[in-house]
PDB file of all heavy atoms in Angstrom:
ATOM      1  N   SER A  60      11.803  33.719 -65.334  1.00 48.00           N
ATOM      2  CA  SER A  60      10.779  33.804 -64.290  1.00 48.00           C
ATOM      3  C   SER A  60       9.957  32.522 -64.254  1.00 48.00           C
ATOM      4  O   SER A  60       9.519  32.097 -63.186  1.00 48.00           O
ATOM      5  CB  SER A  60       9.874  35.014 -64.505  1.00 48.00           C
ATOM      6  OG  SER A  60       9.111  34.854 -65.677  1.00 48.00           O
ATOM      7  N   ASP A  61       9.733  31.887 -65.417  1.00 51.00           N
ATOM      8  CA  ASP A  61       9.040  30.597 -65.443  1.00 51.00           C
ATOM      9  C   ASP A  61       9.859  29.553 -64.699  1.00 51.00           C
ATOM     10  O   ASP A  61       9.306  28.736 -63.959  1.00 51.00           O
ATOM     11  CB  ASP A  61       8.795  30.132 -66.874  1.00 51.00           C
ATOM     12  CG  ASP A  61       7.745  30.950 -67.581  1.00 51.00           C
ATOM     13  OD1 ASP A  61       6.982  31.654 -66.908  1.00 51.00           O
ATOM     14  OD2 ASP A  61       7.684  30.865 -68.818  1.00 51.00           O
ATOM     15  N   HIS A  62      11.167  29.597 -64.926  1.00 54.00           N
ATOM     16  CA  HIS A  62      12.040  28.646 -64.242  1.00 54.00           C
ATOM     17  C   HIS A  62      12.005  28.874 -62.733  1.00 54.00           C
ATOM     18  O   HIS A  62      11.946  27.922 -61.948  1.00 54.00           O
ATOM     19  CB  HIS A  62      13.467  28.773 -64.784  1.00 54.00           C
ATOM     20  CG  HIS A  62      14.438  27.815 -64.167  1.00 54.00           C
ATOM     21  ND1 HIS A  62      14.317  26.459 -64.320  1.00 54.00           N
ATOM     22  CD2 HIS A  62      15.511  28.035 -63.377  1.00 54.00           C
ATOM     23  CE1 HIS A  62      15.290  25.869 -63.654  1.00 54.00           C
ATOM     24  NE2 HIS A  62      16.030  26.805 -63.071  1.00 54.00           N
ATOM     25  N   GLN A  63      11.996  30.126 -62.303  1.00 52.00           N
ATOM     26  CA  GLN A  63      11.926  30.436 -60.872  1.00 52.00           C
ATOM     27  C   GLN A  63      10.595  29.973 -60.291  1.00 52.00           C
ATOM     28  O   GLN A  63      10.547  29.450 -59.175  1.00 52.00           O
ATOM     29  CB  GLN A  63      12.093  31.939 -60.640  1.00 52.00           C
ATOM     30  CG  GLN A  63      13.487  32.443 -60.901  1.00 52.00           C
ATOM     31  CD  GLN A  63      13.550  33.966 -60.845  1.00 52.00           C
ATOM     32  OE1 GLN A  63      12.526  34.627 -60.780  1.00 52.00           O
ATOM     33  NE2 GLN A  63      14.761  34.498 -60.880  1.00 52.00           N
ATOM     34  N   LEU A  64       9.527  30.140 -61.033  1.00 48.00           N
ATOM     35  CA  LEU A  64       8.214  29.713 -60.574  1.00 48.00           C
ATOM     36  C   LEU A  64       8.180  28.206 -60.389  1.00 48.00           C
ATOM     37  O   LEU A  64       7.668  27.695 -59.393  1.00 48.00           O
ATOM     38  CB  LEU A  64       7.155  30.151 -61.586  1.00 48.00           C
ATOM     39  CG  LEU A  64       5.738  30.021 -61.095  1.00 48.00           C
ATOM     40  CD1 LEU A  64       5.269  31.412 -60.675  1.00 48.00           C
ATOM     41  CD2 LEU A  64       4.860  29.494 -62.170  1.00 48.00           C
ATOM     42  N   ARG A  65       8.749  27.461 -61.337  1.00 53.00           N
ATOM     43  CA  ARG A  65       8.763  25.999 -61.226  1.00 53.00           C
ATOM     44  C   ARG A  65       9.627  25.549 -60.056  1.00 53.00           C
ATOM     45  O   ARG A  65       9.286  24.597 -59.369  1.00 53.00           O
ATOM     46  CB  ARG A  65       9.260  25.384 -62.528  1.00 53.00           C
ATOM     47  CG  ARG A  65       8.247  25.486 -63.640  1.00 53.00           C
ATOM     48  CD  ARG A  65       8.699  24.756 -64.876  1.00 53.00           C
ATOM     49  NE  ARG A  65       7.857  25.115 -65.984  1.00 53.00           N
ATOM     50  CZ  ARG A  65       8.188  25.936 -66.952  1.00 53.00           C
ATOM     51  NH1 ARG A  65       9.381  26.479 -66.978  1.00 53.00           N
ATOM     52  NH2 ARG A  65       7.356  26.225 -67.920  1.00 53.00           N
ATOM     53  N   GLU A  66      10.766  26.227 -59.862  1.00 56.00           N
ATOM     54  CA  GLU A  66      11.643  25.849 -58.763  1.00 56.00           C
ATOM     55  C   GLU A  66      10.987  26.101 -57.410  1.00 56.00           C
ATOM     56  O   GLU A  66      11.276  25.411 -56.438  1.00 56.00           O
ATOM     57  CB  GLU A  66      12.966  26.607 -58.835  1.00 56.00           C
ATOM     58  CG  GLU A  66      13.948  25.980 -59.786  1.00 56.00           C
ATOM     59  CD  GLU A  66      15.322  26.597 -59.649  1.00 56.00           C
ATOM     60  OE1 GLU A  66      15.400  27.773 -59.279  1.00 56.00           O
ATOM     61  OE2 GLU A  66      16.288  25.887 -59.919  1.00 56.00           O
ATOM     62  N   LEU A  67      10.109  27.077 -57.348  1.00 53.00           N
ATOM     63  CA  LEU A  67       9.421  27.380 -56.102  1.00 53.00           C
ATOM     64  C   LEU A  67       8.597  26.189 -55.624  1.00 53.00           C
ATOM     65  O   LEU A  67       8.509  25.914 -54.439  1.00 53.00           O
ATOM     66  CB  LEU A  67       8.517  28.603 -56.299  1.00 53.00           C
ATOM     67  CG  LEU A  67       7.663  29.032 -55.114  1.00 53.00           C
ATOM     68  CD1 LEU A  67       8.569  29.528 -53.994  1.00 53.00           C
ATOM     69  CD2 LEU A  67       6.709  30.117 -55.526  1.00 53.00           C
ATOM     70  N   PHE A  68       8.019  25.444 -56.561  1.00 52.00           N
ATOM     71  CA  PHE A  68       7.129  24.350 -56.208  1.00 52.00           C
ATOM     72  C   PHE A  68       7.829  23.006 -56.122  1.00 52.00           C
ATOM     73  O   PHE A  68       7.252  22.053 -55.658  1.00 52.00           O
ATOM     74  CB  PHE A  68       5.974  24.259 -57.205  1.00 52.00           C
ATOM     75  CG  PHE A  68       5.202  25.533 -57.275  1.00 52.00           C
ATOM     76  CD1 PHE A  68       5.143  26.260 -58.442  1.00 52.00           C
ATOM     77  CD2 PHE A  68       4.559  26.022 -56.169  1.00 52.00           C
ATOM     78  CE1 PHE A  68       4.450  27.437 -58.501  1.00 52.00           C
ATOM     79  CE2 PHE A  68       3.860  27.207 -56.224  1.00 52.00           C
ATOM     80  CZ  PHE A  68       3.801  27.910 -57.390  1.00 52.00           C
ATOM     81  N   MET A  69       9.041  22.931 -56.593  1.00 52.00           N
ATOM     82  CA  MET A  69       9.766  21.669 -56.525  1.00 52.00           C
ATOM     83  C   MET A  69      10.285  21.458 -55.117  1.00 52.00           C
ATOM     84  O   MET A  69      10.574  22.402 -54.396  1.00 52.00           O
ATOM     85  CB  MET A  69      10.934  21.677 -57.499  1.00 52.00           C
ATOM     86  CG  MET A  69      10.540  21.669 -58.936  1.00 52.00           C
ATOM     87  SD  MET A  69      12.040  21.702 -59.902  1.00 52.00           S
ATOM     88  CE  MET A  69      11.439  21.117 -61.429  1.00 52.00           C
ATOM     89  N   SER A  70      10.414  20.212 -54.755  1.00 43.00           N
ATOM     90  CA  SER A  70      11.021  19.938 -53.453  1.00 43.00           C
ATOM     91  C   SER A  70      12.503  20.240 -53.529  1.00 43.00           C
ATOM     92  O   SER A  70      13.063  20.380 -54.608  1.00 43.00           O
ATOM     93  CB  SER A  70      10.797  18.481 -53.063  1.00 43.00           C
ATOM     94  OG  SER A  70      11.502  17.638 -53.943  1.00 43.00           O
ATOM     95  N   SER A  71      13.152  20.330 -52.392  1.00 41.00           N
ATOM     96  CA  SER A  71      14.562  20.711 -52.378  1.00 41.00           C
ATOM     97  C   SER A  71      15.418  19.699 -53.129  1.00 41.00           C
ATOM     98  O   SER A  71      16.390  20.063 -53.766  1.00 41.00           O
ATOM     99  CB  SER A  71      15.049  20.853 -50.944  1.00 41.00           C
ATOM    100  OG  SER A  71      14.897  19.618 -50.275  1.00 41.00           O
ATOM    101  N   SER A  72      15.060  18.439 -53.090  1.00 40.00           N
ATOM    102  CA  SER A  72      15.856  17.439 -53.801  1.00 40.00           C
ATOM    103  C   SER A  72      15.689  17.584 -55.305  1.00 40.00           C
ATOM    104  O   SER A  72      16.634  17.418 -56.054  1.00 40.00           O
ATOM    105  CB  SER A  72      15.463  16.033 -53.359  1.00 40.00           C
ATOM    106  OG  SER A  72      14.120  15.787 -53.692  1.00 40.00           O
ATOM    107  N   GLU A  73      14.481  17.886 -55.763  1.00 47.00           N
ATOM    108  CA  GLU A  73      14.259  18.037 -57.193  1.00 47.00           C
ATOM    109  C   GLU A  73      14.920  19.306 -57.717  1.00 47.00           C
ATOM    110  O   GLU A  73      15.516  19.295 -58.791  1.00 47.00           O
ATOM    111  CB  GLU A  73      12.764  18.092 -57.513  1.00 47.00           C
ATOM    112  CG  GLU A  73      12.037  16.791 -57.300  1.00 47.00           C
ATOM    113  CD  GLU A  73      10.556  16.955 -57.511  1.00 47.00           C
ATOM    114  OE1 GLU A  73       9.984  17.891 -56.941  1.00 47.00           O
ATOM    115  OE2 GLU A  73       9.987  16.140 -58.260  1.00 47.00           O
ATOM    116  N   SER A  74      14.830  20.400 -56.979  1.00 43.00           N
ATOM    117  CA  SER A  74      15.381  21.659 -57.473  1.00 43.00           C
ATOM    118  C   SER A  74      16.894  21.637 -57.476  1.00 43.00           C
ATOM    119  O   SER A  74      17.516  22.275 -58.313  1.00 43.00           O
ATOM    120  CB  SER A  74      14.870  22.839 -56.649  1.00 43.00           C
ATOM    121  OG  SER A  74      15.329  22.710 -55.327  1.00 43.00           O
ATOM    122  N   SER A  75      17.526  20.902 -56.559  1.00 45.00           N
ATOM    123  CA  SER A  75      18.980  20.846 -56.549  1.00 45.00           C
ATOM    124  C   SER A  75      19.502  19.922 -57.631  1.00 45.00           C
ATOM    125  O   SER A  75      20.610  20.096 -58.115  1.00 45.00           O
ATOM    126  CB  SER A  75      19.484  20.384 -55.183  1.00 45.00           C
ATOM    127  OG  SER A  75      19.029  19.070 -54.931  1.00 45.00           O
TER     128      SER A  75
END
Side-chain angles (χ1 to χ4, degrees):
S60 67
D61 289 343
H62 181 64
Q63 289 172 351
L64 192 101
R65 287 186 192 104
E66 278 190 331
L67 177 66
F68 303 117
M69 292 179 160
S70 66
S71 60
S72 63
E73 291 175 311
S74 64
S75 63

